[in-house]
Amino acid sequence: MSQDSKSQDNPNADVAALPFEAAMKELEGIVARLERGDVPLEESIAIYTRGEALKARCDALLKQAEARIERITLGADGKPTGTTPLDVDN
């Protein structure tokens, strides 16, 4: 299968390799275009679908970042005693 047919099957395959900042910037651009309302229907559907893929990529990257963040624990004297995983529920 050629690269062209792969990209036609999944035109959003490149999203999985985008860094957070690039995915977020592109997603913001899509939102702005859709909010203006000057995009033809077929293109609106295509860019909305890409926006969904970009949103999923950003969500996944944020969850990975949260998993790496640790909270510094302090002793009774106020000095750092170590770290514990970030409790995202609190």
Side-chain angles (χ1 to χ4, degrees):
M1 184 180 282
S2 73
Q3 183 67 16
D4 288 337
S5 62
K6 282 182 184 179
S7 64
Q8 288 175 354
D9 291 343
N10 185 1
N12 299 318
D14 65 315
V15 170
L18 290 176
F20 179 82
E21 291 78 8
M24 183 60 78
K25 183 176 181 176
E26 186 176 346
L27 180 57
E28 289 170 348
I30 287 171
V31 169
R33 289 184 69 197
L34 290 171
E35 286 178 343
R36 280 194 313 264
D38 59 358
V39 182
L41 179 60
E42 287 300 315
E43 186 179 353
S44 292
I45 293 168
I47 65 174
Y48 180 86
T49 301
R50 183 160 180 89
E52 285 292 314
L54 291 163
K55 179 185 176 296
R57 174 69 175 156
C58 289
D59 286 344
L61 290 170
L62 285 173
K63 285 179 182 169
Q64 288 174 8
E66 286 176 349
R68 294 191 328 236
I69 295 173
E70 295 181 325
R71 181 177 55 199
I72 297 173
T73 55
L74 302 176
D77 61 357
K79 294 185 180 181
T81 58
T83 61
T84 59
L86 176 67
D87 184 2
V88 294
D89 295 331
N90 288 332

